[in-house]
């Protein structure tokens, strides 16, 4: 699938599920539940157990149903390893021009982390396909709305502090999608092997996004 198609898939999903340090034995049942609940864009952070092996396995098993990428990517070395095992996008908490360039050269989606208007513009000019507004909890949905006037042509994904209660407002204020970690991938639910409850939260996210989009 082409990068353009993958970008469209990411935007349609509305949610990028951030999978951070999920025990490997629960990773695949969790991913299957997320996909069945409508969340089919999956970011596996590179600080997870066997991160690169897991990205490869997730792509092999779910690549026709989901978009699998790497998160918390800080260096070109990490980006290279992730891309080598099939990551379709590179999510970072910060903006590194070389990581963006490498990701583009490998025809994957580049999503660096930014906060200020200057960082947003610089990342976009460097070739970022989408920018990650992080941490979104520090600024709230209103910040996205304020950015839309001068910078609405740059696709934005707020991440950090997005939950079922505020996701609709983020979408209405211009987010093309949101990155969601702990408010979806609940650690206690993982510990209790209660994957079903995570699926229910995923469905609630999707319902709020559809409502916000008027679908």
């Amino acid at each position: 699938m082409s990068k353009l198609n993958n970008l469209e898939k990411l935007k349609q999903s509305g949610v990028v599920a951030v999978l951070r340090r999920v025990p490997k034995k629960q990773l695949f049942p969790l991913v299957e539940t997320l996909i069945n609940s409508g969340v089919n864009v999956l970011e596996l952070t590179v600080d997870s157990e066997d991160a690169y092996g897991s990205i490869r396995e997730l792509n092999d098993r779910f690549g026709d149903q989901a978009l699998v990428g790497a998160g918390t990517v800080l260096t070109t070395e990490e980006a290279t390893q992730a891309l080598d095992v099939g990551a379709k996008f590179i999510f970072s908490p910060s903006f590194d021009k070389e990581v963006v360039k490498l990701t583009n050269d490998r025809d994957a989606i580049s999503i660096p982390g930014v906060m200020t208007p200057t960082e947003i513009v610089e990342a976009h000019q460097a070739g970022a396909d989408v920018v990650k507004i992080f941490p979104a909890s520090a600024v709230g949905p209103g910040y996205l709305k304020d950015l839309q006037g001068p910078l609405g042509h740059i696709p934005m994904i707020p991440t950090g502090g997005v939950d079922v209660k505020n996701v609709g407002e983020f979408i209405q204020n211009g987010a093309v999608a949101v990155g969601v970690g702990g408010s979806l991938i609940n650690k206690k639910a993982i510990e209790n092997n209660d994957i079903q409850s995570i699926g229910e939260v995923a469905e609630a996210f999707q319902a709020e996004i559809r409502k916000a989009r008027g679908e």
Side-chain angles (χ1 to χ4, degrees):
M1 192 176 282
S2 73
K3 178 176 175 175
L4 204 59
N5 287 338
N6 286 340
L7 264 169
E8 192 55 37
K9 190 171 185 176
L10 186 153
K11 291 174 184 177
Q12 282 176 356
S13 171
V15 174
V16 179
V18 181
L19 308 175
R20 185 183 302 280
R21 299 176 190 156
V22 176
K24 191 138 186 192
K25 65 180 181 180
Q26 290 160 306
L27 182 61
F28 295 95
L30 172 61
V31 165
E32 197 162 3
T33 297
L34 288 170
I35 292 170
N36 290 337
S37 302
V39 174
N40 61 356
V41 182
L42 312 165
E43 171 198 336
L44 189 77
T45 64
V46 297
D47 56 359
S48 299
E49 173 194 357
D50 187 29
Y52 304 109
S54 295
I55 290 170
R56 186 192 300 277
E57 290 176 53
L58 287 172
N59 266 309
D60 288 346
R61 187 161 164 186
F62 300 107
D64 58 338
Q65 304 170 66
L67 203 63
V68 180
T72 316
V73 177
L74 298 173
T75 66
T76 53
E77 289 78 17
E78 290 171 343
T80 298
Q81 289 183 77
L83 294 164
D84 283 349
V85 293
K88 300 299 188 294
F89 58 84
I90 297 294
F91 239 104
S92 301
S94 56
F95 165 49
D96 183 299
K97 195 175 289 187
E98 293 306 313
V99 171
V100 171
K101 182 180 184 304
L102 171 67
T103 306
N104 276 322
D105 288 347
R106 297 285 297 269
D107 203 32
I109 300 168
S110 171
I111 314 171
V114 295
M115 177 58 78
T116 67
T118 299
E119 290 175 333
I120 292 168
V121 171
E122 287 180 350
H124 181 65
Q125 289 176 341
D129 298 291
V130 186
V131 293
K132 169 184 173 178
I133 306 298
F134 176 79
S137 57
V139 289
Y143 185 61
L144 267 287
K145 188 175 184 179
D146 292 340
L147 291 171
Q148 291 310 297
L151 302 176
H153 60 291
I154 301 174
M156 302 177 193
I157 297 182
T159 304
V162 181
D163 57 31
V164 171
K165 292 179 181 176
N166 63 24
V167 64
E169 193 176 357
F170 274 112
I171 295 293
Q172 287 173 335
N173 287 355
V176 298
V178 295
V180 185
S183 61
L184 172 60
I185 314 300
N186 184 284
K187 283 187 178 179
K188 282 192 176 179
I190 296 287
E191 287 169 8
N192 297 331
N193 208 30
D194 183 14
I195 305 297
Q196 183 181 343
S197 69
I198 294 175
E200 290 166 2
V201 176
E203 289 173 1
F205 266 103
Q206 289 297 334
E208 290 298 320
I209 288 170
R210 286 194 299 271
K211 191 193 302 180
R213 290 175 170 174
E215 295 174 355

